[in-house]
Amino acid sequence: MKTKLIHLSLLASLTIGSLFAQEKTTVTAKNSDISDNLDLRAVATVFGDAKDLEDFERRLNDPKTQISNLDLNNDNYVDYLRVIETVEGNVHLVVVQAVLEKDVFQDVATIEVDRDSNNRVQVQVVGDVYMYGTNYIYEPVYVHTPIVYNTFWVGNYRPYYSSWYWGYYPSYYSYWNPFPIFRYRNHIHVHINFGHSYHYVSHRRCASVYNNYYGRRGNGYERLHPNRSFAHRNSGYSNRHELDSRRNITTPRNRSEINRNNTRTATNETRGNRETRATPTPSRTRSEGLRGNSGTRVATETRTRNEGSRSNGNRQYTENRNNSSRERNTTVNTNVNRANSEARGNMSRGNSQSRSSAPRGDSNSRGSGSRAGGRG
């Protein structure tokens, strides 16, 4: 018995230790980064739904959808994201910049749209190297051709340049406070159209066009905080994609996967509840209790449910107790049945004797009467 207790205590200590280790790992895996505050797949979704770049900028800053969660200047308000564009040949380089102060901007991402000689359009959403690391790129594949393509390759095209700046914003825009990171992750998945595909790649198609733009990029935040680049924030990781794979952030890829996970969780909880309810209900003792009278059955069921989860010794005691009560009931019932049968036998004998004596008396009387009549 002592050996069993020692083994049980060791097993419990190992289980508790593993639980604490898992808890520590989970906390480490949920460490946040600046790049967590703007999901590039959501940016790709908004771009595919926009009718032009002005509409794209409006959708990025819509207070109802809250696509961005960036607060780089730490004023407890999400930064306004403006859109500017540069064109080189068939390549349209759409730049998303955070407005931080007067004449201070920081590039967040670029959307590079390229049309080849066969009129096939390729789109890449690229995170800024300061924000997301090197070559953090998503290639969206849209189910339907985005309307915004129709505005790009036309005669006398003028590149879009946002007219909004610090302290001067459109009427639809209003400030909102940033979410905690875990809430933003849950919130942003509602605004990602998973009917499209988002392929991660590490090769930039329009590298030469971007290199020509690089000297004009907005880097106001980077100049103020040179030690907060992705390379300094996450030493040993090349970009956000590698960081996600190492810290094991499990995010659903589509809405069906989210629903599937919820269904599995509900099913497991239901199974657990069923197993918990079904465990303390043995059937053997209950079936034996049904053989006795009603009083024995109630007592047996109550005792079995209360003592069903105990050791084997208690189960044997319960079974012996049921057997003894069943034997007593059998003996009592047998004696009662015997007494009843004997009483019934005596009663039937007395009745038969009385019945047999009554005819004899009648016959004797009748015989005497007839005899007396003959004599007369």
Side-chain angles (χ1 to χ4, degrees):
M1 188 65 182
K2 292 182 178 179
T3 305
K4 290 182 179 180
L5 291 174
I6 293 172
H7 287 305
L8 290 174
S9 62
L10 290 174
L11 181 61
S13 62
L14 290 173
T15 304
I16 294 171
S18 63
L19 288 174
F20 279 115
Q22 291 178 358
E23 188 175 355
K24 290 180 180 179
T25 303
T26 303
V27 171
T28 303
K30 291 184 178 179
N31 288 341
S32 61
D33 185 74
I34 295 176
S35 58
D36 289 329
N37 292 283
L38 183 63
D39 195 312
L40 296 189
R41 294 171 300 173
V43 174
T45 296
V46 172
F47 181 76
D49 294 338
K51 62 181 181 180
D52 52 32
L53 292 184
E54 184 179 2
D55 185 45
F56 173 54
E57 182 175 351
R58 184 188 64 80
R59 291 172 182 265
L60 281 178
N61 297 283
D62 190 347
K64 296 179 180 178
T65 55
Q66 300 181 354
I67 297 299
S68 175
N69 199 51
L70 285 170
D71 179 20
L72 296 180
N73 57 4
N74 294 320
D75 62 353
N76 201 30
Y77 294 110
V78 173
D79 303 326
Y80 184 86
L81 299 180
R82 74 169 189 169
V83 175
I84 62 175
E85 181 188 17
T86 182
V87 180
E88 187 172 331
N90 286 330
V91 178
H92 289 251
L93 191 68
V94 182
V95 183
V96 179
Q97 293 182 335
V99 180
L100 305 181
E101 296 178 11
K102 183 179 180 180
D103 299 328
V104 178
F105 310 98
Q106 176 62 48
D107 281 13
V108 174
T110 57
I111 302 174
E112 301 167 11
V113 186
D114 181 23
R115 187 178 69 171
D116 60 17
S117 57
N118 296 321
N119 291 328
R120 290 181 302 181
V121 180
Q122 299 286 342
V123 179
Q124 288 187 326
V125 183
V126 186
D128 184 75
V129 63
Y130 179 84
M131 299 287 298
Y132 296 88
T134 58
N135 296 325
Y136 182 65
I137 306 169
Y138 275 108
E139 283 188 354
V141 178
Y142 298 110
V143 178
H144 306 288
T145 303
I147 302 175
V148 69
Y149 292 174
N150 299 330
T151 64
F152 284 159
W153 296 280
V154 295
N156 300 322
Y157 180 80
R158 296 180 61 184
Y160 179 78
Y161 197 94
S162 177
S163 57
W164 311 111
Y165 49 87
W166 176 260
Y168 183 68
Y169 304 117
S171 58
Y172 64 81
Y173 177 74
S174 61
Y175 293 104
W176 69 87
N177 303 117
F179 290 118
I181 292 297
F182 72 95
R183 283 188 57 195
Y184 175 74
R185 287 175 183 157
N186 295 330
H187 161 78
I188 200 61
H189 277 280
V190 180
H191 300 286
I192 299 175
N193 187 348
F194 287 104
H196 309 314
S197 300
Y198 308 92
H199 304 290
Y200 173 78
V201 297
S202 58
H203 175 69
R204 198 170 201 151
R205 296 179 181 271
C206 306
S208 59
V209 177
Y210 180 75
N211 291 335
N212 294 334
Y213 163 77
Y214 189 81
R216 295 176 281 122
R217 62 187 285 268
N219 60 349
Y221 185 79
E222 180 179 354
R223 284 187 283 105
L224 292 173
H225 307 285
N227 294 327
R228 295 185 186 179
S229 66
F230 185 90
H232 284 84
R233 297 194 311 266
N234 304 283
S235 178
Y237 302 100
S238 61
N239 59 22
R240 165 71 187 275
H241 185 267
E242 185 177 346
L243 177 64
D244 285 347
S245 62
R246 296 291 180 87
R247 60 182 177 173
N248 297 323
I249 292 181
T250 55
T251 55
R253 291 188 293 269
N254 50 47
R255 292 178 183 176
S256 62
E257 196 168 310
I258 296 173
N259 295 331
R260 195 182 308 122
N261 292 338
N262 293 335
T263 304
R264 288 178 181 175
T265 304
T267 304
N268 292 333
E269 291 178 355
T270 304
R271 289 179 180 175
N273 293 333
R274 289 178 179 175
E275 291 176 358
T276 304
R277 293 175 183 175
T279 300
T281 309
S283 58
R284 180 179 177 184
T285 310
R286 185 176 181 179
S287 62
E288 291 178 355
L290 295 174
R291 296 178 185 175
N293 54 20
S294 61
T296 304
R297 182 178 61 196
V298 174
T300 304
E301 288 179 0
T302 304
R303 189 181 302 114
T304 303
R305 290 174 182 172
N306 294 332
E307 299 178 357
S309 59
R310 298 180 183 176
S311 62
N312 294 330
N314 292 333
R315 292 180 181 175
Q316 293 177 359
Y317 171 76
T318 304
E319 292 178 359
N320 293 334
R321 191 169 181 178
N322 292 333
N323 292 333
S324 62
S325 62
R326 187 171 64 250
E327 290 176 358
R328 288 197 208 99
N329 293 333
T330 304
T331 305
V332 172
N333 292 333
T334 303
N335 293 332
V336 172
N337 291 333
R338 287 179 180 176
N340 291 334
S341 61
E342 289 177 358
R344 291 175 182 174
N346 293 331
M347 290 175 64
S348 61
R349 288 175 185 175
N351 292 332
S352 61
Q353 289 178 358
S354 299
R355 292 174 183 174
S356 60
S357 59
R360 288 177 183 176
D362 294 338
S363 60
N364 291 331
S365 300
R366 291 175 183 174
S368 300
S370 61
R371 290 173 184 173
R375 290 176 184 178

